[in-house]
Amino acid sequence: MAEKTNKTDEMRLLRDCADAVRRRTDFTPRVALVLGSGLGGFADELRKTAEIPYEELPGFPRSTAPGHAGRLVLGYVEDVPVAVLQGRVHLYEGYSPAEVVRPVRLLAMLGAKIFFATNAAGGMRPELGAGELMMLTDHVSCFVPNPLRGENLDELGTRFPDMTEVYDAGLREILQSAAEKNGIELRRGVYVQLPGPSFETPAEIRMLAALGADAVGMSTVVEAVAARHAGLRVCAVSMIANLAAGLSPAPLSAEEVLAAANAAAPRFKALLWDSIARMKEDE
Ligand code: HPA
């Protein structure tokens, strides 16, 4: 993980990716959405204008995680232009932090103003059981490299970006009202990213709770940091797939995570649709 990101190479790759998209379409997304485990189907609900497999984007990482397709889908949620990363890449797949955040940066370069992250997570409070939806109010990065490490990409953002309010208050209000409209109880909490891929031990979960976290997962924080660096407004929702290790007698498994994600998908999709539809220019 200590590799030095070469700024020139990274910007060149990002520009090559942007050019590859631009050869296909002049679509300018407003919202950049990354779909977590089990949510890939949401991309099919868009009024699509283009679909670009990650293989066609130079230097673009390929998703190997279960339930992640590996496609950039461009289209509309009502009249809001959205770029969907159908399938995300994780640090645990062996990608460098710069590779993990390359898709988010590309969408910023294509004109996105809002980054909306979704993920599956383990709940660390008794009321955060399988199937709950939790809106992120803040995050903690734990043993995960900062994606901005290395020479700063000045074209995208400043060297020392502020992280006082990563998860935008206005977007949180939109999410809350979309949840109310759908009769969804939207929990709130702090998400902690660990590197994975092993799940946590019960002792680690006690440590993370002491650090102030409510839910634990293996994504999102590095992406949110890169998105803030690039000046995007950010919001994120976790689908709680399980109680974290030690909080229930059951062992954790990827199958359980996907099953919970699939079960929660209809509610999650309704929340996504109605909140994104409200993320118009003037809000
Ligand atoms: N820990 C980390 N990541 C996860 C979990 C968990 O318990 N559940 C789903 N993703």
Side-chain angles (χ1 to χ4, degrees):
M1 283 307 158
E3 77 276 23
K4 197 165 185 310
T5 306
N6 183 311
K7 171 182 174 182
T8 322
D9 289 353
E10 188 57 31
M11 277 316 298
R12 188 180 309 124
L13 266 179
L14 284 165
R15 284 202 195 93
D16 287 349
C17 287
D19 290 346
V21 174
R22 283 290 165 252
R23 279 194 293 277
R24 296 272 300 259
T25 172
D26 61 1
F27 183 89
T28 298
R30 172 160 172 77
V31 178
L33 174 68
V34 60
L35 295 176
S37 304
L39 270 179
F42 182 79
D44 295 322
E45 299 186 7
L46 263 58
R47 183 156 51 85
K48 289 186 201 169
T49 62
E51 239 181 53
I52 307 175
Y54 286 177
E55 297 93 89
E56 290 182 24
L57 300 173
F60 222 66
R62 310 268 184 90
S63 178
T64 66
H68 290 258
R71 239 187 332 245
L72 176 61
V73 179
L74 305 173
Y76 292 86
V77 168
E78 293 177 18
D79 52 358
V80 179
V82 183
V84 182
L85 294 161
Q86 194 182 22
R88 65 149 51 91
V89 290
H90 304 79
L91 290 167
Y92 65 71
E93 294 170 80
Y95 290 110
S96 69
E99 286 171 315
V100 169
V101 302
R102 197 170 287 151
V104 177
R105 286 174 159 166
L106 168 66
L107 295 179
M109 287 172 68
L110 292 175
K113 302 285 181 246
I114 292 170
F115 176 59
F116 192 150
T118 64
N119 60 48
M124 294 170 43
R125 295 197 313 249
E127 69 273 26
L128 287 174
E132 297 289 338
L133 297 177
M134 187 191 92
M135 169 165 77
L136 275 63
T137 55
D138 203 347
H139 71 221
V140 173
S141 172
C142 194
F143 308 130
V144 171
N146 192 299
L148 309 181
R149 180 187 160 114
E151 220 177 331
N152 186 48
L153 303 183
D154 301 322
E155 294 88 336
L156 297 181
T158 177
R159 170 78 292 186
F160 300 109
D162 176 58
M163 295 286 150
T164 308
E165 187 187 288
V166 175
Y167 302 92
D168 186 273
L171 297 178
R172 273 151 55 184
E173 271 178 37
I174 289 176
L175 277 166
Q176 185 56 45
S177 61
E180 282 165 17
K181 179 183 163 203
N182 285 283
I184 294 169
E185 177 152 27
L186 187 59
R187 311 274 183 186
R188 290 162 182 252
V190 174
Y191 174 93
V192 58
Q193 178 177 358
L194 264 73
S198 51
F199 288 113
E200 303 72 32
T201 64
E204 285 166 342
I205 292 301
R206 291 193 295 276
M207 171 190 79
L208 298 170
L211 294 181
D214 301 297
V216 55
M218 305 174 192
S219 69
T220 302
V221 170
V222 286
E223 299 158 8
V225 168
R228 288 299 302 138
H229 174 250
L232 276 66
R233 295 166 68 199
V234 174
C235 62
V237 177
S238 291
M239 186 282 304
I240 304 297
N242 53 275
L243 279 172
L247 299 184
S248 100
L252 307 185
S253 72
E255 291 71 28
E256 177 193 13
V257 170
L258 273 184
N262 290 334
R267 274 183 306 131
F268 207 159
K269 286 182 190 171
L271 177 67
L272 283 177
W273 187 272
D274 281 328
S275 50
I276 293 172
R278 291 175 199 200
M279 292 180 184
K280 296 184 207 284
E281 216 60 64
D282 50 350
E283 284 175 288

